[in-house]
Structure formats: C-alpha cells, structure tokens
Amino acid sequence: MNRTYSLRTERAPTAAQLQNPPPPKSSTKSKFFGKGGLAYNFRKSAAGQFGPELSRKLNQLIKIEKNVLRSLELVSNQRKAAAKQLSLWGLENDDDVSDISDKLGVLIYEVSELDDQFIDRYDQYRLTLKSIRDIEKSVQPSRDRKDKISDKIAYLKYKDPQSPKLEILEQEAIRAEAESLVAEAQLTNITRSKLRAAFNYQFDSIIEHSEKLALIAGYGKAMLELLDDTPVVPGETRPAYDGYEASKQIIVDAEQALSNWTLDTAQIKPTLSFAGYNYEDGEEEEEEEEEHEGEEEQEVTDEEYEQSAQV
C-alpha cells in the first residue's frame, strides 16, 4: 500500500515488501513478440511439432501458460492506469468525492500490485513444469536407442540368423535396457514430485491472491461508507466532509491486514466428502515429504546406476 495514502504522490515500498522480498520477476514479461495473437499461435503450434515426441504435449502446455501470464500482465497494467485515472477524475470534484476516489484508487492500484505478485509466483509453477519437460527430453534418446537396437536385431534375425553381429547387438540391447530402466525411473519419480510442487505453487498463489483481493474489497466497501449519498434539494448545502482521518486509517488497516496475511491464516479450507482425510494433516505430510524427497530420489538413482553399471 502507499505510505502517503494517495496516488497523487510517490509510492513507497510496503511493509510486506520490505520484510518479504518478492520472487524474481516473471520470465514472460516484456518480451519482443508481444502479448499474444499471431506470435502466440505460432509458438504454440511450433512447440507441438518440434523437439522429442515425449515432451511435445507438455511443451505446448508451457507455451499456453506463458500466454496466460502475458494476458494477466496486460490486465494488471490496465488496472494501474484505471486506478490513476480514477484519482485524477476525483481531484476536480467536491472534497468528499475527491478524497474517497483517491483512496479507492490506492486500493485498486494495490490490486494491480497483487496481480504482479501473482504473475511472478504463477511463473514459478510454469518453470517447475519445465523441469518435467527437460527430463522427458533426456529420456527420449534412451528410448530411441533401445528401439533402434531392437529393430536391428529383428532385421538380422530375419535376414541372417547366423550373423556374428547378433551377439554384439544383444549385449548392446541389454545395456540399453538397463540405461532405459534408470532413465524411466528418474522420469516417473521426477514427474510426480515436480507435478506436485508445480501445482502447489499455483494453488498457493491462487489462495493468497484471492484472499488478499477479498481483504481489499472489504476495506473498499468500508471506504464507501464515508461517502454521504443523501440527496440534497436545490440550494441546500451538503455538510462539510470530515472523513480524511477515517479514510487514511482504512488504508492503514488494509496495509496491515495485507502485510500480516500468511498461508497459515487462510480462511478457506476444502471440505472433502470422503472419510479419513484431514486437510491440515495432508499439509503436514506434504511438508515432510518435500524434506525427504530429494534424498529418496538420489538413493534410487544411485542404486539403479550401480545395477546398470554391473550389467
């Protein structure tokens, strides 16, 4: 929120930004090709036509999500412009309309700031999907090599069953199978762990974004209560506006509420119909799994590598 509580002066960093540095800026922002349209359609179609067969569908998803982020960025920029224009419009109105419109502009501008934070956090989800795509790309060559050797063996058995090359190829096939088993195990492990991590990034960012938006909306409605909309007859003078301190305090309270919000204090918890599952217990198990996840994956990989080396 703005320390000066007005859009007509310079904005200062919020307490939340000083205490909790934001994540890196989204990698989709300010690119040459723009924010969708022809360039997006080209990237999406190209992603599904090139590269290893195994990773093409996920690559398309990553490109689609990139366009989603660029669309969100466009909305955020337009919302900032709308907030500033609201404040400028109110400047030429009566004291109450001028003050309230400026403070509402502050709240709406904060919504756009939350949009920017959401974009940056949402991009972490997309980048995590990329790690699954990368492992899929690395697995494809081992699959291709195994299939190629199998085709050669089948061809030689048909063409020249007594060929001395058969024994060599069969040994290569055993080694290729071992390498493929290691690669496939890595793929299945990493796919599950990264898929879970990716959508945790997305859903956590959605929860934070939506609940903070609800907070701003609540303080915005409180701000509207300061605006006296009682009709006046011609010639009657409206009472002098004295809500400056109250409107400023609403902004202060909103800033404090946003700064103090954490995922642990989220109000919305899912209610599941099947028995035996508790959402909070699931969150605790998830944190424990993430702590041991890296160690377990490394142990499996080392064991499989030793087996393949022995073969």
Side-chain angles (χ1 to χ4, degrees):
M1 206 71 68
N2 196 337
R3 282 295 185 184
T4 58
Y5 315 112
S6 173
L7 284 184
R8 297 161 192 164
T9 54
E10 293 293 327
R11 289 176 58 84
T14 67
Q17 290 172 337
L18 294 174
Q19 294 174 359
N20 302 311
K25 292 296 182 182
S26 168
S27 58
T28 64
K29 291 182 178 178
S30 302
K31 297 296 184 180
F32 173 76
F33 286 106
K35 301 179 176 64
L38 182 61
Y40 160 68
N41 290 327
F42 172 77
R43 287 193 301 270
K44 176 177 176 292
S45 60
Q49 295 175 4
F50 301 103
E53 180 69 29
L54 183 60
S55 63
R56 289 181 183 177
K57 290 183 178 180
L58 185 55
N59 208 29
Q60 278 189 306
L61 172 60
I62 292 169
K63 296 299 181 184
I64 292 172
E65 292 289 13
K66 190 173 187 177
N67 198 62
V68 169
L69 289 175
R70 287 179 171 173
S71 299
L72 292 172
E73 182 187 356
L74 178 61
V75 171
S76 174
N77 292 336
Q78 292 298 314
R79 202 190 303 273
K80 288 177 182 177
K84 292 178 180 179
Q85 193 62 32
L86 174 62
S87 178
L88 291 175
W89 167 79
L91 185 61
E92 299 178 355
N93 279 270
D94 294 336
D95 290 345
D96 55 348
V97 174
S98 177
D99 182 54
I100 297 300
S101 63
D102 187 39
K103 298 302 191 295
L104 290 175
V106 172
L107 293 175
I108 294 173
Y109 198 98
E110 182 63 22
V111 171
S112 69
E113 292 288 296
L114 292 178
D115 289 340
D116 285 341
Q117 295 173 21
F118 176 72
I119 291 169
D120 295 335
R121 289 181 170 86
Y122 194 91
D123 193 47
Q124 297 301 307
Y125 144 76
R126 194 181 69 90
L127 294 176
T128 306
L129 289 182
K130 280 187 173 183
S131 62
I132 303 177
R133 180 200 62 188
D134 294 340
I135 192 66
E136 287 181 344
K137 285 183 176 180
S138 67
V139 168
Q140 188 68 56
S142 66
R143 287 187 179 184
D144 294 341
R145 182 169 178 268
K146 185 179 73 171
D147 293 341
K148 185 177 181 181
I149 293 174
S150 298
D151 291 342
K152 285 184 178 180
I153 292 174
Y155 175 77
L156 271 180
K157 284 183 177 180
Y158 172 76
K159 192 75 174 177
D160 186 6
Q162 303 302 321
S163 174
K165 293 182 179 180
L166 268 177
E167 185 177 352
I168 298 174
L169 288 174
E170 287 173 351
Q171 291 296 323
E172 290 183 6
I174 294 174
R175 287 193 293 271
E177 180 66 25
E179 292 174 1
S180 178
L181 287 175
V182 173
E184 295 291 346
Q186 289 177 334
L187 175 62
T188 187
N189 291 337
I190 291 177
T191 296
R192 284 161 176 75
S193 65
K194 294 299 183 181
L195 183 65
R196 185 165 180 168
F199 278 93
N200 272 324
Y201 279 131
Q202 181 182 149
F203 294 141
D204 285 349
S205 64
I206 290 174
I207 291 172
E208 178 177 359
H209 189 62
S210 59
E211 293 214 356
K212 285 186 174 181
L213 288 182
L215 283 173
I216 291 177
Y219 286 104
K221 289 178 70 68
M223 187 77 70
L224 292 176
E225 294 299 321
L226 300 177
L227 188 63
D228 181 13
D229 61 349
T230 304
V232 295
V233 299
E236 182 182 357
T237 302
R238 189 176 293 277
Y241 176 68
D242 61 352
Y244 293 104
E245 289 301 320
S247 65
K248 181 179 177 180
Q249 189 59 45
I250 289 175
I251 297 295
V252 173
D253 293 343
E255 178 184 18
Q256 185 176 3
L258 293 173
S259 298
N260 293 338
W261 187 95
T262 63
L263 197 60
D264 295 334
T265 61
Q267 298 298 311
I268 300 176
K269 304 289 184 182
T271 302
L272 303 178
S273 59
F274 53 88
Y277 182 86
N278 183 280
Y279 176 74
E280 294 181 354
D281 293 342
E283 284 187 327
E284 293 176 359
E285 292 176 2
E286 179 182 301
E287 292 177 357
E288 294 176 359
E289 288 177 1
E290 288 178 352
E291 291 178 358
H292 301 293
E293 188 176 85
E295 298 177 2
E296 293 176 352
E297 287 182 4
Q298 185 61 41
E299 290 176 0
V300 172
T301 302
D302 292 342
E303 291 176 1
E304 291 170 342
Y305 179 79
E306 291 176 0
Q307 293 175 1
S308 65
Q310 293 174 359
V311 174

